[in-house]
């Protein structure tokens, strides 16, 4: 072990498949977690404890700003340079309530080392300390707009988007009431009302105080030479600092002596009916500095009480008809916080909500919990641990370790879950769980109930008051002060627009094309016929789990039937069957495997598309026959006509979709714009997009659940046909024969249907759609299909998308415009769609899209710059995935007819891209943008003010 470090702890952790060590750097006290598991995806992260002292968002703004140039790396945004030009598999930074993390990962060792150095130089020696323009761009700056003095900036606009979401506001209210003072009373992300209070000096002080090795928590994981990396870390960075006390302790607060009750309001648009739109919340803090066992129990109780479809607290609330949905929230801090929220409830049901919550928890403590339910929940948890954290398992482990590590406990204890699960299993049959319910839910006095009522026009009143203040603020400025602001904005725009110098660009570390691996990952596959069903098999390292995927071709279903098929996927497992009630079915599902997921993807093929009903499950070999039996029960014996249950499911589904609109607005608009000119996108929208949301809302409004149930039955009878089924098995090679034998009777049970494909009645249309909802920011998309221009897809279009997204749209819409993000997607199908995310503008963004052609025609790239853009898209052709995910990728390639040689040909086309090729796409993009195919989502006032749209639809349903 390197002499510059002291080994604190070391152990083998089975669930991480390797040896885990905790080291302390002797000179600075920096702590380093090593996960030696030979994972080919190498991971590094550095994190700092960053407790805020106000809600100016300083932690968030520092996180953004550190990655905008440093001592060694002189471009304006090395982060974006590396996003565009490396083969990274993860590259991001995240702000939490009390910590800030900077993780990276890559399969390429040279790339990994370069990324690690860029991040370390950024956090310890950022250019923002000498360049206030970075603070003004990423955080906030004043601007004179007409007769008002306003704020603008990337984080400022991002948080305006966050504060537009009612669910986020409820979360903030819960946090503020649970933590009325101290560290967690503040919003580390930033409250838009407080962000303009942050000064440049306070911003610099925050970095100087917390961004020090003595306050750092570092991860190195994967197939690494740990001695070499530790030596580099000490030599290049840690040895240059002395030990310091960063004074980063979490500031707590006194707990309530008795339960509290609060009333509050949230914004509702003027057009909405406030009836039935209250939020009810129950929240508590049980303790400070929870142990790993406490944290596991919190997740366990979250699943048991709320997140399970038959949650022991969720179910009685739903049975009483309180709210359209019930969800829970947990803290990611040093306090054991737990919150339960009923969404869209009738005002007069508040007292009943309180009684059900209190009585149910008391009853569970007195009477206990069914042992089969406990066993099934533990099986689900153990299966999740065995499955691992997916493609970024080591990063997920690091974040989990910080739940104890950041607060002075061992990170290794926080990572070792299997012994704790074993202990929990041994406690079944005792009063352990009853006592824990008392300890965590009944005995804490720091708890409250809260009723949050809708207030019509609340946001508009706040905006009007802000506008009046902005006018007064501008009027109070002297001419000299106004000129100073104009000069600041002008200098900022000049900085944002100016290209990086050749000298600055030369400081960015590069990969060469020769550093890339040859070809793409080989995914082994065999194809057989099993009881008349084509079955693909992938022998892969799955940690002993057998994954089953079933794809039913839905090409014979009508448009309405496709929507009902998507709904069917939401209903399955949530209704009773002939042999199981709802609770017993859920228990049986998790005693027989890892559960079932249902999806309705549209797979693009070389000659069109196919809509599929996709079923995925995983189980241990010993569970397979039992798992296939319960799946057969679900598909053939579900009680789909239970009107009361359908009402609950549909209301919850409506709420779930509505809650994703602002979080996923960029995806929603870019998917929607494709429906104007693409039949496959139109079909996808029927099952997964805004059309499906309308379909669900209509069913809830019509309340004819009997008719809906009969339609579900009819679709299920048509859907599950043997002659429309393709199957897939992913397992360890030795487990595949037994898996095929176990699935054979299940596959044999399906019957041929012999149905012809249905001709979808799709007509392309030119439309400029605007979808309105309560939001302070916007999401804008334009698009078209280049095949209509007699263009064919080529691999260089992946490079084209990288160039436009990172060299043009990022500059125009994010850096200059203040949006959180922007980009363009170009698909093999010919579909092209731009998008912006949490965007303060509309017409300025549309103008940027319309300028893409001019940008391309004037494009100048050196050979080095072009190579960077090419390297940055290599993961498009060979993505990093967890082993089981490779099997699913291969199965989808089999379904859509994609062969390895085709992918390699596209990759070779990308590698051969020239600047002339890219310039040649300028006219194509001009033609597509001229079609004026456009979709936006945002506030009604902002969108109508532009006169850019000819169709408006409210999403406030």
């Amino acid at each position: 072990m390197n002499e510059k470090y002291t080994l604190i702890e070391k152990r083998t952790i089975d669930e991480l498949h390797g040896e885990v060590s905790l080291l302390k750097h002797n000179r600075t006290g920096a702590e380093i977690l090593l996960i030696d598991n030979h994972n080919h995806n190498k991971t590094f992260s550095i994190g700092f404890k960053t407790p805020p002292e106000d809600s100016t968002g300083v932690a968030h703004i520092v996180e953004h700003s550190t990655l905008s140039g440093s001592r060694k790396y002189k471009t304006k945004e090395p982060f974006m340079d590396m996003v565009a030009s490396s083969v990274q598999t993860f590259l991001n930074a995240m702000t939490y309530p009390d910590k800030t993390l900077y993780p990276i990962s890559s399969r390429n060792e040279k790339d990994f080392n370069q990324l690690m150095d860029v991040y370390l130089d950024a956090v310890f020696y950022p250019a923002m300390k000498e360049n206030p323009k970075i603070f003004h761009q990423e955080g906030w700056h004043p601007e004179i707009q007409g007769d008002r003095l306003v704020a603008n900036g990337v984080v400022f606009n991002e948080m305006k988007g966050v504060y537009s979401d009612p669910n986020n506001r409820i979360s903030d209210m819960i946090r503020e009431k649970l933590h009325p003072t101290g560290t967690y009373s503040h919003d580390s992300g930033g409250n838009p009302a407080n962000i303009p209070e942050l000064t440049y000096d306070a911003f610099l002080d925050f970095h100087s105080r917390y961004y020090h090795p003595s306050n750092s928590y570092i991860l190195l994981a994967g197939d690494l030479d740990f001695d070499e990396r530790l030596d580099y870390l000490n030599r290049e960075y840690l040895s240059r600092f002395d030990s310091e006390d960063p004074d980063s302790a979490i500031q707590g607060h006194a707990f309530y002596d008795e339960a509290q009750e609060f009333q509050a309001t949230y914004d509702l648009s003027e057009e909405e009916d406030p009836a039935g739109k209250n939020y009810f919340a129950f929240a508590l803090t049980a303790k400070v500095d929870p142990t790993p066992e406490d944290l596991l129990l919190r997740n366990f109780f979250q699943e048991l009480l709320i997140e399970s479809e038959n949650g022991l607290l969720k179910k009685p609330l739903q049975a009483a008809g309180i709210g359209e949905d019930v969800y829970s929230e947990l803290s990611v801090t040093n306090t054991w916080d737990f919150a339960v929220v009923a969404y869209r409830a009738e005002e007069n049901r508040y007292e009943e909500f309180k009684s059900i919550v209190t009585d149910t928890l008391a009853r569970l403590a007195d009477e206990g919990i069914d042992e089969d339910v406990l066993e099934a929940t533990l099986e689900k948890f153990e299966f999740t641990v065995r499955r691992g954290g997916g493609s970024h398992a080591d990063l997920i482990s690091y974040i989990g370790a910080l739940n104890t590590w950041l607060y002075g406990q061992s990170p290794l204890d926080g990572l070792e879950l299997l012994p704790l699960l074993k202990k929990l299993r041994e406690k079944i049959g005792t009063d352990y769980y009853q006592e824990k319910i008392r300890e965590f839910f009944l005995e804490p006095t720091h708890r409250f109930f809260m009723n949050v009522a809708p207030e019509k026009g609340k946001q508009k009143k706040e905006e009007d008051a802000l506008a009046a203040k902005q006018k007064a603020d501008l009027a109070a400025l002297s001419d000299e002060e106004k000129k100073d602001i104009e000069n600041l904005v002008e200098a900022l725009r000049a900085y944002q627009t100016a290209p990086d110098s050749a000298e600055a660009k030369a400081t960015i570390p590069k990969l060469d094309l020769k550093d890339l691996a040859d070809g793409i990952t080989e995914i082994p596959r065999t194809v057989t016929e099993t009881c008349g069903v084509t079955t693909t098999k992938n022998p892969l390292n799955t940690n002993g789990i057998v994954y089953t995927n079933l794809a039913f071709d839905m090409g014979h279903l009508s448009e309405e039937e496709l929507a009902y098929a998507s709904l069917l996927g939401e209903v399955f497992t949530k209704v009773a069957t002939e042999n199981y009630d709802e609770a017993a079915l859920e228990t049986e599902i998790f005693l027989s495997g890892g559960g079932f997921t249902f999806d309705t993807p549209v797979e693009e093929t070389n000659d069109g598309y196919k809509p599929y009903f996709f079923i995925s499950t995983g189980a241990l070999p010993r569970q397979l026959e039992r798992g296939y039996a319960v799946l057969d029960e679900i598909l053939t014996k579900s009680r789909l006509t239970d009107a009361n249950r359908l009402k609950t499911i549909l209301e919850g589904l409506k709420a779930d979709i509505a809650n994703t609109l602002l979080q996923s607005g960029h995806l929603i608009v870019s998917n929607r714009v494709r429906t104007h000119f693409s039949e496959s996108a139109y079909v996808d929208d029927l099952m997964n997009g805004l059309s499906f949301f309308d379909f669900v809302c209509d069913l809830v409004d019509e309340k004819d659940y009997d008719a809906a149930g009969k339609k579900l039955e009819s679709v299920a009878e048509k859907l599950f046909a043997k002659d429309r089924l393709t199957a897939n098995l992913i397992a360890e090679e030795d487990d595949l024969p037994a898996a095929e034998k176990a699935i054979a009777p299940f596959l044999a049970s399906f019957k041929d249907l012999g149905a012809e494909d249905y001709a979808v009645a799709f007509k392309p249309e030119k439309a400029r759609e605007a979808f309105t909802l309560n939001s302070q920011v916007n999401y804008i998309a334009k698009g078209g299909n280049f095949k209509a221009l007699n263009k064919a897809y080529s691999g260089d279009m992946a490079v084209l998308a990288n160039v436009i997204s990172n060299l043009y749209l990022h500059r125009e819409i994010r850096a200059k415009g203040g949006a959180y993000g922007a980009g363009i997607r170009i698909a093999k199908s010919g579909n092209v769609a731009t998008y912006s995310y949490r965007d303060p503008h509309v017409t300025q963004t549309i103008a940027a899209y319309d300028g893409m052609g001019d940008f391309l025609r004037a494009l100048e790239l050196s050979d080095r710059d072009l190579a960077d853009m090419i390297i940055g898209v290599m993961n498009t052709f060979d993505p990093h995935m967890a082993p089981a995910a490779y099997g699913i990728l291969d199965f989808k390639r089999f379904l859509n007819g994609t062969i390895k040689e085709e992918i390699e040909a596209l990759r070779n086309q990308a590698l051969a891209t020239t600047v002339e090729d890219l310039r040649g796409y300028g006219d194509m993009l001009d033609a597509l943008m001229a079609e004026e195919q456009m979709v936006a989502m945002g506030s009604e006032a902002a969108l109508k003010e532009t006169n850019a749209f000819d169709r408006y639809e409210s999403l406030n349903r």
Side-chain angles (χ1 to χ4, degrees):
M1 183 58 66
N2 191 299
E3 64 180 7
K4 303 298 183 183
Y5 302 85
T6 298
L7 176 65
I8 304 300
E9 192 175 2
K10 182 177 185 178
R11 72 180 80 149
T12 297
I13 297 182
D14 292 340
E15 50 261 56
L16 299 187
H17 311 293
E19 199 167 63
V20 182
S21 305
L22 177 64
L23 311 181
K24 178 169 281 192
H25 185 247
N26 296 332
R27 182 181 178 94
T28 63
E31 295 189 0
I32 301 95
L33 186 70
L34 308 181
I35 302 178
D36 185 3
N37 57 4
H38 303 291
N39 186 343
H40 72 294
N41 189 49
K42 304 159 184 64
T43 301
F44 161 79
S45 183
I46 184 166
F48 303 93
K49 188 188 288 187
T50 52
E53 296 180 347
D54 55 39
S55 291
T56 60
V58 59
H60 191 184
I61 295 169
V62 168
E63 175 236 298
H64 275 243
S65 301
T66 52
L67 297 172
S68 296
S70 67
R71 174 192 60 174
K72 292 184 184 178
Y73 305 113
K74 304 292 189 179
T75 61
K76 293 196 292 292
E77 294 190 88
F79 172 77
M80 291 307 301
D81 294 333
M82 301 308 285
V83 166
S85 64
S86 84
V87 289
Q88 50 81 22
T89 55
F90 192 92
L91 190 67
N92 211 334
M94 298 96 91
T95 302
Y96 289 82
D98 57 10
K99 59 183 174 282
T100 308
L101 310 182
Y102 295 84
I104 64 102
S105 63
S106 179
R107 293 172 288 182
N108 183 292
E109 184 175 5
K110 180 179 177 181
D111 190 45
F112 174 82
N113 292 344
Q114 291 177 167
L115 290 168
M116 185 174 169
D117 199 64
V118 168
Y119 263 44
L120 285 166
D121 207 62
V123 298
F124 290 127
Y125 304 104
M128 67 186 198
K129 300 187 87 167
E130 289 79 39
N131 185 354
K133 293 183 181 69
I134 296 170
F135 167 73
H136 290 141
Q137 172 179 290
E138 298 299 321
W140 81 277
H141 63 271
E143 287 186 8
I144 297 172
Q145 292 183 3
D147 60 354
R148 295 187 296 157
L149 181 65
V150 305
N152 196 7
V154 172
V155 170
F156 177 76
N157 290 319
E158 177 188 352
M159 296 311 296
K160 282 173 67 179
V162 171
Y163 272 64
S164 296
D165 188 331
N167 280 25
N168 287 333
R169 296 300 301 125
I170 303 305
S171 296
D172 285 338
M173 293 175 194
I174 291 171
R175 172 183 51 78
E176 290 160 3
K177 299 304 182 187
L178 280 180
H179 305 286
T181 60
T183 295
Y184 302 133
S185 68
H186 308 300
D187 186 346
S188 62
N191 185 327
N194 302 120
I195 288 174
E197 298 168 5
L198 180 63
T199 66
Y200 181 57
D201 287 342
F203 163 80
L204 295 180
D205 288 346
F206 188 91
H207 178 271
S208 297
R209 177 178 177 183
Y210 292 131
Y211 280 59
H212 188 280
S214 300
N215 189 43
S216 67
Y217 302 80
I218 299 169
L219 169 74
L220 285 166
D223 184 13
L224 292 170
D225 182 340
F226 287 101
D227 286 337
E228 183 276 329
R229 285 289 86 192
L230 288 169
D231 180 65
Y232 149 81
L233 184 61
N234 170 72
R235 183 182 67 254
E236 296 296 325
Y237 291 97
L238 301 184
S239 65
R240 305 183 184 206
F241 295 84
D242 294 317
S243 179
E244 256 186 34
D245 178 5
D247 189 22
S248 59
I250 306 301
Q251 300 302 311
H253 55 82
F255 278 12
Y256 300 134
D257 293 328
E258 58 183 10
Q260 304 290 304
E261 191 153 336
F262 301 105
Q263 306 287 326
T265 64
Y266 74 95
D267 175 60
L268 196 72
S269 66
E270 292 288 353
E271 82 232 23
E272 289 186 84
D273 181 357
K277 294 199 174 75
N278 284 51
Y279 286 79
F280 302 153
F282 167 70
L284 58 82
T285 300
K287 65 192 302 184
V288 177
D289 292 328
T291 65
E293 183 177 336
D294 295 332
L295 294 171
L296 179 61
L297 276 168
R298 185 175 61 174
N299 291 336
F300 183 80
F301 282 127
Q302 181 186 37
E303 176 68 24
L304 200 67
L305 297 175
I306 303 295
E307 296 307 315
S308 162
E309 194 57 40
N310 293 280
L312 301 177
L313 181 52
K314 177 180 183 177
K315 196 71 180 215
L317 288 168
Q318 288 185 329
I322 295 178
E324 291 185 356
D325 196 16
V326 179
Y327 62 91
S328 58
E329 294 188 350
L330 308 180
S331 55
V332 288
T333 61
N334 76 330
T335 56
W336 201 99
D337 297 352
F338 196 107
V340 178
V341 181
Y343 168 84
R344 288 197 170 214
E346 297 284 349
E347 172 86 36
N348 61 5
R349 308 296 301 280
Y350 178 55
E351 293 300 324
E352 193 176 353
F353 169 80
K354 292 163 55 181
S355 296
I356 290 174
V357 170
T358 303
D359 294 348
T360 300
L361 291 171
R363 176 177 55 78
L364 292 172
D366 290 340
E367 300 176 7
I369 301 168
D370 182 273
E371 292 184 11
D372 284 344
V373 173
L374 291 172
E375 182 67 37
T377 306
L378 286 170
E379 285 279 357
K380 182 177 183 180
F381 270 59
E382 188 164 338
F383 187 89
T384 300
V385 171
R386 182 184 286 269
R387 187 165 50 194
S391 59
H392 300 295
D394 293 334
L395 173 56
I396 298 300
S397 296
Y398 168 70
I399 294 172
L402 286 165
N403 289 332
T404 51
W405 190 12
L406 198 73
Y407 313 115
Q409 299 182 57
S410 166
L412 278 66
D413 289 344
L415 290 171
E416 199 163 20
L417 298 179
L418 288 177
L420 292 176
L421 288 170
K422 180 181 178 183
K423 176 182 177 180
L424 294 188
R425 182 169 273 108
E426 291 169 350
K427 296 295 185 181
I428 294 175
T430 72
D431 63 356
Y432 173 84
Y433 292 97
Q434 291 165 266
E435 289 304 314
K436 289 300 179 181
I437 288 175
R438 290 190 184 96
E439 177 185 346
F440 290 128
F441 293 99
L442 298 179
E443 294 172 358
T445 59
H446 193 76
R447 58 200 288 145
F448 65 81
F449 283 99
M450 181 167 61
N451 180 6
V452 186
E455 180 182 336
K456 276 194 169 190
K458 181 178 183 177
Q459 181 174 302
K460 186 175 187 308
K461 292 173 191 173
E462 293 172 350
E463 289 174 349
D464 289 345
L466 177 61
K469 180 181 181 301
Q470 291 169 337
K471 290 179 181 179
D473 288 345
L474 181 60
L477 295 179
S478 66
D479 289 343
E480 184 178 356
E481 289 171 322
K482 292 177 185 177
K483 187 64 178 175
D484 286 344
I485 291 172
E486 290 171 353
N487 289 340
L488 183 153
V489 173
E490 184 178 349
L492 180 59
R493 293 289 179 264
Y495 166 77
Q496 292 167 332
T497 303
D500 289 313
S501 68
E503 293 77 13
K505 291 198 292 189
T507 66
I508 300 299
K510 307 291 185 181
L511 287 178
D512 295 316
L513 293 175
K514 63 181 174 58
D515 295 320
L516 302 177
D518 293 331
I520 64 172
T521 301
E522 186 78 43
I523 307 173
R525 176 212 297 166
T526 59
V527 182
T528 61
E529 289 288 319
T530 307
C531 298
V533 175
T534 300
T535 304
T536 69
K537 294 178 291 186
N538 302 106
L540 294 167
N541 177 18
T542 62
N543 200 24
I545 297 173
V546 177
Y547 293 95
T548 304
N549 298 291
L550 305 173
F552 291 91
D553 178 353
M554 297 193 293
H556 60 305
L557 300 187
S558 69
E559 289 96 323
E560 182 188 42
E561 288 171 333
L562 288 169
Y564 272 103
S566 182
L567 179 59
L568 200 59
E570 301 290 342
V571 171
F572 278 149
T573 74
K574 299 182 181 72
V575 296
T577 67
E578 284 185 17
N579 297 305
Y580 298 95
D581 63 24
E582 293 153 22
L585 177 64
E586 186 167 40
T587 298
E588 179 64 14
I589 286 171
F590 291 112
L591 288 174
S592 61
F596 303 102
T597 60
F598 305 93
D599 192 19
T600 51
V602 175
E603 291 296 319
E604 303 279 357
T605 67
N606 289 328
D607 57 356
Y609 69 93
K610 285 286 186 184
Y612 286 99
F613 190 92
F614 216 85
I615 305 172
S616 298
T617 186
L620 299 175
R622 60 178 171 79
Q623 298 173 312
L624 285 173
E625 291 185 9
R626 188 174 181 179
Y628 293 138
V630 74
L631 179 56
D632 180 70
E633 176 87 11
I634 291 165
L635 298 185
T636 63
K637 297 182 177 65
S638 286
R639 299 191 183 280
L640 300 173
T641 55
D642 182 341
N644 289 332
R645 187 65 184 138
L646 285 179
K647 177 180 183 295
T648 300
I649 293 169
L650 280 162
E651 288 178 347
L653 178 59
K654 174 187 171 184
D656 289 345
I657 298 174
N659 290 339
T660 66
L661 294 176
L662 287 172
Q663 294 291 336
S664 305
H666 60 308
L667 298 176
I668 290 168
V669 295
S670 64
N671 287 339
R672 178 69 178 198
V673 76
R674 296 181 306 127
T675 68
H676 298 172
F677 45 79
S678 166
E679 183 174 318
S680 63
Y682 167 76
V683 169
D684 184 61
D685 194 59
L686 292 172
M687 300 186 294
N688 304 302
L690 287 179
S691 291
F692 182 69
F693 179 55
D694 281 340
F695 168 76
V696 171
C697 291
D698 289 344
L699 290 178
V700 172
D701 291 344
E702 292 161 5
K703 303 186 188 312
D704 191 350
Y705 300 110
D706 289 325
K710 291 175 182 176
K711 192 68 180 179
L712 285 171
E713 280 191 332
S714 171
V715 170
E717 289 175 3
K718 293 179 64 173
L719 182 52
F720 302 115
K722 180 185 285 190
D723 53 358
R724 289 192 169 266
L725 170 61
T726 309
N728 166 248
L729 293 169
I730 307 163
E732 309 280 351
E733 188 161 14
D734 290 346
D735 290 331
L736 278 171
E740 188 170 15
K741 181 179 178 181
I743 200 175
F746 174 65
L747 296 180
S749 68
F750 293 100
K751 307 299 181 187
D752 289 344
L753 183 66
E756 297 290 329
D757 275 359
Y758 176 86
V760 172
F762 170 73
K763 291 183 179 180
E765 64 167 345
K766 291 188 178 181
R768 298 181 299 168
E769 293 183 293
F771 294 91
T772 63
L773 73 175
N774 296 6
S775 176
Q776 300 178 59
V777 290
N778 308 296
Y779 308 80
I780 316 295
K782 290 189 76 173
N785 188 290
F786 58 73
K787 288 188 176 179
L789 304 175
N790 295 318
K791 296 280 187 181
Y793 184 78
S794 171
D796 63 2
M797 289 183 174
V799 183
L800 174 68
N802 194 23
V803 167
I804 294 174
S805 294
N806 290 298
L807 300 187
Y808 176 70
L809 294 178
H810 176 82
R811 181 189 71 202
E812 296 298 315
I813 296 175
R814 187 185 189 277
K816 292 165 65 175
Y820 187 69
I824 187 170
R825 298 192 295 173
I826 304 175
K828 277 176 59 179
S829 61
N831 292 333
V832 176
T834 60
Y835 60 86
S836 68
Y837 185 59
R838 289 178 176 165
D839 189 346
H841 303 289
V842 180
T843 54
Q844 182 174 319
T845 297
I846 295 169
Y849 294 154
D850 291 343
M852 291 186 296
D854 287 341
F855 162 76
L856 286 176
R857 281 185 289 272
L859 182 66
E860 296 289 343
L861 292 176
S862 68
D863 290 346
R864 176 67 261 178
D865 292 338
L866 178 60
D868 290 344
M869 292 295 102
I870 293 171
I871 290 168
V873 303
M874 287 298 103
N875 284 344
T876 302
F877 306 102
D878 188 24
H880 165 62
M881 293 180 166
Y886 275 121
I888 295 174
L889 174 65
D890 180 71
F891 184 42
K892 292 193 172 185
R893 286 175 178 171
F894 178 80
L895 292 174
N896 61 38
T898 300
I899 59 174
K900 180 185 176 185
E901 290 75 14
E902 179 185 351
I903 300 168
E904 289 179 333
L906 291 172
R907 181 179 184 270
N908 289 335
Q909 289 169 359
L911 287 167
T913 302
T914 67
V915 176
E916 281 303 313
D917 293 334
L918 297 172
R919 290 177 187 145
Y921 287 116
D923 291 346
M924 180 188 85
L925 286 173
D926 278 349
L928 294 178
M929 293 302 102
E931 302 236 347
E932 291 295 305
Q933 299 280 21
M934 192 155 53
V935 172
M937 189 170 78
S939 79
E940 182 175 6
L943 295 178
K944 285 189 172 178
E945 184 180 13
T946 66
N947 293 316
F949 305 96
D950 48 33
R951 184 187 305 168
Y952 294 86
E953 179 180 331
S954 173
L955 296 177
N956 293 318
R957 298 194 60 179

